[in-house]
Amino acid sequence: MSIRIGINGYGNLGRGVELAVRENSDMELAAVFTRRDPSSVKILSQDAPVVRADELEEWKDRIDVMILCGGSAKDLPEQTPKCAGLFNCIDSFDTHARIPEHFSNVDAAARKAGKLSIISVGWDPGMFSLIRAYANAILPDGKDYTFWGKGVSQGHSDAIRRVNGVKNAKQYTIPVESALESVRRGEQPELSTRQKHTRECFVVPEEGADLAQIEKEIKEMPNYFSDYDTTVHFISEEELQEKHAGLAHGGFVFRSGHTGENREHNHILEFSLKLDSNPEFTTSVLCAYARAAYRLNQEGASGARTVLDIAPACLSPMSPEELRAHLL
Amino acid sequence: MSIRIGINGYGNLGRGVELAVRENSDMELAAVFTRRDPSSVKILSQDAPVVRADELEEWKDRIDVMILCGGSAKDLPEQTPKCAGLFNCIDSFDTHARIPEHFSNVDAAARKAGKLSIISVGWDPGMFSLIRAYANAILPDGKDYTFWGKGVSQGHSDAIRRVNGVKNAKQYTIPVESALESVRRGEQPELSTRQKHTRECFVVPEEGADLAQIEKEIKEMPNYFSDYDTTVHFISEEELQEKHAGLAHGGFVFRSGHTGENREHNHILEFSLKLDSNPEFTTSVLCAYARAAYRLNQEGASGARTVLDIAPACLSPMSPEELRAHLL
């Protein structure tokens, strides 16, 4: 029997889950839930219905794992605890500072319902967190580095769009190559914010806007840009659509640590992702953890978990014997 | 209370465990076991005894986790099942083809004793296995690549030493840079053995030996060298000791996979290790898993496990709350 997956929210992430389910022969798409008018939502799958989000509860016994595809700012803090009381759930909640609070809300709801939810799944938090946890446990005497990019930061693009005279914008976060190289050489550099990433902005101005003023406002914007070396390019809407519509992203996690009687040996652990589609990779991770949530709940487990609580074997469609024979 | 660690076998690995225990404030070294005369074994620690290996059983209640530091060829197939009936155990068994058999022997002994053993811990098998398991679960449509080196292969060095006229030798396994680059570009190349690694040999000949004959014998040796581009350098014993005594190693694991409606998006996941000391890094991994074995057994679990069965949080001295706040 297949694991019946529900998708809650059909944007880039929802569409990514739909595609990822197709890659996993032990899963099937049960339904897509939307706050929009279902008749206006066109999905790829022929055999799954699009359902109004307020009918969620009626699907309680027809869905094994609900994958939440809303945003962390407004959707998930409310949606995940609600869904966790009805289904096993996976979300990609990524507001680091609010994870403890979110975890506790989801945990309470899931425990009460006897269901299992895994929160903050994806690549950061997610895969990058795993690497940090493993690497810290293995090399206690060391230093962590995380770099993001090259990729579009939605938050920074939004911030630019709020500047007077800006019609549209995309912002790329780019790791500084010399910083990566220094970490790779084991130099354990102290890196300021400016030394780790640069920011490159592609801005479509309103007609007649004061370009110098826009550039100044962007570069001096506190938190978002003032601590970075920022480049601003003014382009047309056509060029933005043509050259900057991609969803590629990626990043690097390092741990650089010492061992030895006199700390004489250096070890560098590096993990990197180069992703053509941030949402499609993220949702591939979500689906692997959906399998784990289903299995753990079948074994009687309930409550909230994060990727740090889940054994890798739990994600795989292979049996423990196959894993030991082929991947160990 | 500290986790009391026993070391069984005091070579490079045993000494590495001793150093790693010092880095973990929740662990202490209880005793070192040796098949040699204990009075001949000098350890770094002032406060731990060196004990004859045949007195193992008397330490049953004074050791929480025994870390086996013998070799995979002859020591561990016998030692781990024996120790697993007395202690929670960690070993670094790395004969891939014999893992299923070893697992089953250790599992039976550990279950009977109510103890927990984690086998095949280290970096390959070990960290590399984890990455392969995660990456395969996340990107079902993809291809794995593992490269080793640059580092000394003990097996290949030994093989050279068996050649007539060879006094001593070290062999480096080196990944082919152009192959790494092709994988990084997402080309998913089909790579032959020869295209993945080269082999570089530093050979100390006996006086008057036929160098051309030695070189020919090495390069034509089946399994070990005939499928590789091999370079042979003849050097003096002094140069070998001076320049090739290091224990550095490392390697790369990749998964290159596709997602998208028409497989149009490529994703590259890369994990690499650059280790100044292979045994010290390996034993740092062993100690992190010793913590996990101890905890799981405290919770009532018994039998054999591999790294694939252990949740990352289990390796960390941090609490789940700390992990969620700081590493997630």
Side-chain angles (χ1 to χ4, degrees), chain A residues 129 184 259 270 274 280 328, chain B residues 129 184 259 274 280 328:
Chain A
S129 323
R184 270 189 201 119
T259 64
E270 174 174 354
K274 208 165 69 204
E280 286 180 13
L328 193 66
Chain B
S129 323
R184 269 189 201 118
T259 63
K274 209 166 66 203
E280 287 179 12
L328 194 64

Side-chain angles (χ1 to χ4, degrees), chain A residues 17-35:
Chain A
V17 171
E18 187 180 17
L19 291 168
V21 165
R22 295 181 175 192
E23 294 296 324
N24 289 287
S25 56
D26 59 344
M27 299 184 187
E28 61 181 69
L29 180 62
V32 172
F33 298 86
T34 180
R35 288 177 296 199

Side-chain angles (χ1 to χ4, degrees), chain A residues 294-311:
Chain A
Y294 173 72
R295 285 184 180 165
L296 290 168
N297 185 248
Q298 289 284 101
E299 292 167 9
S302 67
R305 301 288 189 280
T306 75
V307 296
L308 303 179
D309 305 308
I310 309 294

